[in-house]
Amino acid sequence: MNKRQYDIKDPTLASAGKLRIEWASREMPVVGLIRERFSAEKPFRGLRISACLHITTETANLALALKAGGADLVLCASNPLSTQDEAAAALVAYGIATNAIRGEDEKTYYKHINTALDHKPHLTVDDGADLVTTLHTKRSQLISNIIGGTEETTTGVIRLRSLARAGRLKYPIIAVNDAQTKYLFDNRYGTGQSTIDGITRATNILWAGKKVVVCGYGWCGHGIALRARGLGAQVIVTEVAPTRALEAVMDGFQVMPLTEAAKIGDVFITITGNKNVIAKSHLEVMKDGAILANSGHFNVEIDIPALEGLARAKRPIRANVDEYSLKDGRRLYLLAEGRLINLAAAEGHPANVMDMSFANQALCLEYIAKNRGKLEPRVYPVPEEIDKQVAQMKLESMGVTIDSLTPAQKKYLTSWQEGT
Ligand code: NAI
């Protein structure tokens, strides 16, 4: 591999990374089966893929499946703080050009995205839509080559739908996030467990008895609230959508405006995909010692400039924890610079749920390659057959079998004649 095609922290981390990738593969049987099939069928022969994803051991397993399928693949990070340097080094050792260094600054982050685009992709894989946005705004001359792409997360899908609404999306993209086998598991159980894991690793707090404020009761918020309660926390949910708020109430959580919750919370977790959710007015009334964490895609959910403005001093007090001493004497603790806490302070989602998300990614990329020229430049849902197939394969890998409809039941469920 040409050295200009990759940029990682330290190639000597490769052997440690390979072991970790192997460990993750134990929990990714569906991606493993897809990799075997791809290896025989080579659906990506002759195709170049540029993928902007969190550079983790799970992503490495997806990358190896795509490579086995014949893809010429380049990777870059989808977040400056989520890269596992060992995984990046191992990927390069496996012959996959990877551009990602944990803690890279914004300039390097975009340099890496541009290196991935220099690959002149036929297919793109994105997580948060930074690669696709760069492509549409600064590298549009590359778009004529592109067959299609996929998007991994809620925030990316929102940005792409907005691009499509403005009539500016130039090629078809499948919203992998919106597959049931993605958001019901990855967003809920994956983000739920790993967010709590990240905050625990960063702080070592005891959750039992803490007042935990979860801002946003989407699929990720569901998981975080559920797991925090499971550890004995008193969970308060804040929302702006009436239905989601009602669901939180009936799920047994306290629901109130953030202006009230701000005064009583011990730990605040934003998970909305929105900006300035925790604003200056909230920071002004928080208790001394309150902990602030974000698990949403971008580091804009907590108004960090406002926090900086209120502070007279700031010091790192332990890894991933910054203490802000405010002018009025209170101290607030911001975790991982407001970046996704589960990836910055822990290892992101467990491999077992990424198995389903990345099975969707792999099968959707294959679908796009097979349907070359047939798709329009818009945001497509994951084909239902793929979603069902992933669920079926996952069940099989777990040794779970289920019932099937009898012919009479099938008929009944598609007819209107039978009543009481
Ligand atoms: P979602 O759209 O299902 O839920 C977001 C919720 O936040 C909605 O119910 C919305 O009404 C609420 N909300 C919006 N503004 C709010 C405000 N100002 N105050 C309170 N609530 C507000 O989205 P989902 O799937 O739960 O994702 C949330 C974010 O997490 C996105 O940025 C997504 O990309 C990201 N994400 C992060 C992951 C991670 O590994 N940390 C994994 C998956 C998604």
Side-chain angles (χ1 to χ4, degrees), residues 153-155 182 186-187 191 215-221 238-241 244 271-274 277 295-297 301 340 342-343 349:
T153 198
T154 314
T155 284
K182 200 282 185 180
D186 169 316
N187 299 32
T191 315
C215 304
Y217 200 63
W219 288 107
C220 297
T238 72
E239 250 299 341
V240 292
R244 288 250 163 108
I271 184 69
T272 67
N274 205 345
V277 176
S295 213
H297 191 78
E301 303 214 8
L340 326 104
N342 61 332
L343 280 141
H349 294 8

Side-chain angles (χ1 to χ4, degrees), residues 25-328:
S25 75
R26 289 173 61 257
E27 290 274 78
M28 301 181 76
V30 180
V31 169
L33 285 174
I34 292 172
R35 177 176 166 177
E36 272 173 36
R37 181 171 66 74
F38 278 3
S39 193
E41 296 176 7
K42 303 279 182 230
F44 304 115
R45 198 195 307 271
L47 294 181
R48 291 187 297 273
I49 302 183
S50 298
C52 179
L53 291 166
H54 299 296
I55 304 301
T56 63
T57 54
E58 293 78 22
T59 297
N61 278 289
L62 170 65
L64 290 169
L66 299 177
K67 186 172 165 22
D72 177 3
L73 182 69
V74 168
L75 288 174
C76 63
S78 59
N79 187 290
L81 262 192
S82 62
T83 298
Q84 297 166 358
D85 290 315
E86 297 97 322
L91 279 160
V92 169
Y94 281 127
I96 297 172
T98 301
N99 294 274
I101 298 172
R102 188 186 164 82
E104 62 196 17
D105 59 18
E106 197 173 315
K107 197 167 150 230
T108 314
Y109 174 75
Y110 278 102
K111 186 183 91 184
H112 286 160
I113 287 183
N114 277 298
T115 308
L117 290 175
D118 290 343
H119 193 48
K120 301 194 177 72
H122 299 106
L123 293 163
T124 63
V125 184
D126 214 346
D127 185 338
D130 280 346
L131 180 125
V132 174
T133 305
T134 305
L135 198 47
H136 278 73
T137 52
K138 306 213 163 76
R139 308 287 304 270
S140 56
Q141 74 281 10
L142 297 173
I143 290 179
S144 58
N145 256 334
I146 298 179
I147 305 170
T150 54
E151 169 53 54
E152 171 75 8
T153 198
T154 314
T155 284
V157 172
I158 290 171
R159 294 177 79 190
L160 293 175
R161 291 224 165 93
S162 157
L163 193 65
R165 266 199 311 279
R168 293 184 54 190
L169 180 65
K170 295 272 171 28
Y171 64 91
I173 301 201
I174 297 186
V176 167
N177 180 73
D178 296 356
Q180 290 190 19
T181 46
K182 200 282 185 180
Y183 67 83
L184 289 176
F185 304 91
D186 169 316
N187 299 32
R188 180 165 39 172
Y189 302 117
T191 315
Q193 178 172 321
S194 60
T195 298
I196 301 295
D197 183 16
I199 298 173
T200 308
R201 291 196 206 191
T203 61
N204 200 26
I205 56 164
L206 179 73
W207 290 88
K210 288 274 186 307
K211 285 196 172 60
V212 174
V213 180
V214 178
C215 304
Y217 200 63
W219 288 107
C220 297
H222 277 68
I224 296 172
L226 182 72
R227 295 304 178 226
R229 175 162 66 189
L231 287 164
Q234 296 172 39
V235 179
I236 299 166
V237 167
T238 72
E239 250 299 341
V240 292
T243 315
R244 288 250 163 108
L246 187 58
E247 206 186 354
V249 172
M250 295 213 186
D251 284 344
F253 300 108
Q254 265 189 287
V255 176
M256 62 180 77
L258 185 54
T259 40
E260 282 174 40
K263 296 178 204 153
I264 52 178
D266 299 305
V267 181
F268 293 83
I269 307 169
T270 51
I271 184 69
T272 67
N274 205 345
K275 66 188 256 194
N276 295 344
V277 176
I278 295 186
K280 185 171 175 227
S281 57
H282 306 120
L283 297 166
E284 279 170 343
V285 298
M286 284 180 184
K287 292 193 300 193
D288 177 36
I291 291 170
L292 309 170
N294 167 53
S295 213
H297 191 78
F298 288 118
N299 62 338
V300 295
E301 303 214 8
I302 300 166
D303 187 348
I304 299 171
L307 181 58
E308 302 268 351
L310 288 170
R312 64 174 164 72
K314 171 185 166 186
R315 59 172 179 157
I317 189 156
R318 49 185 269 154
N320 289 311
V321 186
D322 283 328
E323 180 186 71
Y324 285 81
S325 298
L326 307 193
K327 291 166 193 156
D328 60 16

Side-chain angles (χ1 to χ4, degrees), residues 364-403:
C364 286
L365 287 164
E366 181 188 32
Y367 176 88
I368 297 166
K370 280 191 175 153
N371 287 283
R372 186 179 196 150
K374 292 190 201 147
L375 304 171
E376 291 161 22
R378 61 184 176 88
V379 180
Y380 281 87
V382 171
E384 208 182 319
E385 320 83 74
I386 291 183
D387 210 350
K388 275 195 183 151
Q389 188 190 343
V390 172
Q392 188 59 41
M393 287 173 82
K394 190 70 179 173
L395 282 172
E396 278 167 23
S397 77
M398 297 165 91
V400 178
T401 47
I402 59 170
D403 295 323

